[in-house]
Amino acid sequence: DGGITQSPKYLFRKEGQNVTLSCEQNLNHDAMYWYRQDPGQGLRLIYYSQIVNDFQKGDIAEGYSVSREKKESFPLTVTSAQKNPTAFYLCASSLFRGSNQPQHFGDGTRLSIL
Amino acid sequence: SQQGEEDPQALSIQEGENATMNCSYKTSINNLQWYRQNSGRGLVHLILIRSNEREKHSGRLRVTLDTSKKSSSLLITASRAADTASYFCASPNFGNEKLTFGTGTRLTIIP
């Protein structure tokens, strides 16, 4: 079955540590996205990529980094510069770039601070 | 800033009743989308309505769009316990490159 796989489901970060969240899709979609969701809140866009080897900052990119070396993979690194990383992180993809495309989501990674 | 805002924030109804959620947005759009999120899961796309459409149906879902009022509504008819979830509207930012999601309506269906 085609879809988006995020791993791990739960992740704990120590002070000063960088952690990487995995996102893999087998939908052959061009565009991929990372969102952050805080309790009772909507989604906020961290980074997005419309094509391999290209990505743009979203609304809250500070303290995060991404890469897009392969079409199917879009990992997110939460760096030590992100002082409040505790949140639910969602990865999504769409067939093409642009806001008129439905987005398909993974089941998220919940990140907490130890 | 939030492009879309849902109303109400929370809604509880009896199974079998209809549920209506509203979404307001700020800028001109070419489409608006609705998503569902079950607790602890990712979002699932429900329906996309284009700016030249006034109403769209999908099973028990009915979405309306009023571009003059910059608002949309999602109606779920004959609700079921499985409809318990949060519902989000999403609209394009200026430039139509990305979506902005509202804060959601938390729907609880009471059996």
Side-chain angles (χ1 to χ4, degrees):
Chain A
D1 285 340
I4 297 183
T5 301
Q6 290 188 240
S7 63
K9 193 170 178 65
Y10 300 95
L11 188 58
F12 298 91
R13 196 192 88 170
K14 294 180 181 178
E15 202 74 37
Q17 185 182 43
N18 293 354
V19 292
T20 297
L21 284 60
S22 170
C23 177
E24 303 278 331
Q25 55 101 356
N26 61 3
L27 299 166
N28 201 32
H29 284 178
D30 281 344
M32 297 187 75
Y33 313 82
W34 273 106
Y35 293 94
R36 170 180 171 140
Q37 186 177 32
D38 292 282
Q41 301 288 317
L43 277 63
R44 291 185 290 169
L45 184 64
I46 303 172
Y47 269 98
Y48 63 108
S49 169
Q50 296 173 330
I51 198 167
V52 175
N53 292 323
D54 184 55
F55 49 82
Q56 287 81 40
K57 292 181 179 180
D59 301 317
I60 55 165
E62 186 174 348
Y64 301 96
S65 66
V66 293
S67 63
R68 186 89 187 275
E69 297 175 2
K70 297 186 296 182
K71 186 174 186 177
E72 57 270 23
S73 180
F74 191 39
L76 173 74
T77 297
V78 183
T79 75
S80 56
Q82 172 49 246
K83 297 306 179 188
N84 183 23
T86 298
F88 190 48
Y89 290 87
L90 288 161
C91 179
S93 70
S94 61
L95 184 58
F96 300 119
R97 59 184 284 180
S99 62
N100 60 350
Q101 297 291 314
Q103 293 187 12
H104 299 253
F105 283 80
D107 270 342
T109 292
R110 194 167 297 278
L111 176 62
S112 303
I113 294 183
L114 279 178
Chain B
S1 62
Q2 291 288 350
Q3 164 72 317
E5 296 288 344
E6 288 90 345
D7 172 61
Q9 288 188 322
L11 178 63
S12 293
I13 60 172
Q14 294 290 136
E15 192 167 20
E17 293 181 339
N18 296 342
T20 300
M21 288 155 270
N22 302 297
C23 169
S24 60
Y25 58 91
K26 296 176 182 174
T27 64
S28 296
I29 60 172
N30 59 12
N31 77 92
L32 186 136
Q33 301 182 36
W34 284 91
Y35 290 79
R36 183 188 76 231
Q37 183 181 33
N38 290 90
S39 182
R41 304 293 297 273
L43 277 68
V44 174
H45 180 260
L46 295 176
I47 201 163
L48 182 152
I49 186 167
R50 302 191 191 284
S51 58
N52 61 353
E53 298 175 306
R54 290 296 168 259
E55 188 170 307
K56 198 164 183 179
H57 296 253
S58 177
R60 292 183 296 111
L61 306 181
R62 189 188 88 173
V63 168
T64 62
L65 180 64
D66 186 336
T67 53
S68 67
K69 295 181 179 178
K70 292 187 169 57
S71 68
S72 174
S73 67
L74 170 66
L75 168 67
I76 303 174
T77 60
S79 63
R80 305 167 181 169
D83 295 328
T84 293
S86 291
Y87 292 82
F88 295 88
C89 67
S91 52
N93 70 318
F94 185 77
N96 293 317
E97 277 193 341
K98 50 189 179 175
L99 288 176
T100 300
F101 288 81
T103 52
T105 292
R106 191 170 65 255
L107 176 65
T108 303
I109 307 300
I110 304 165

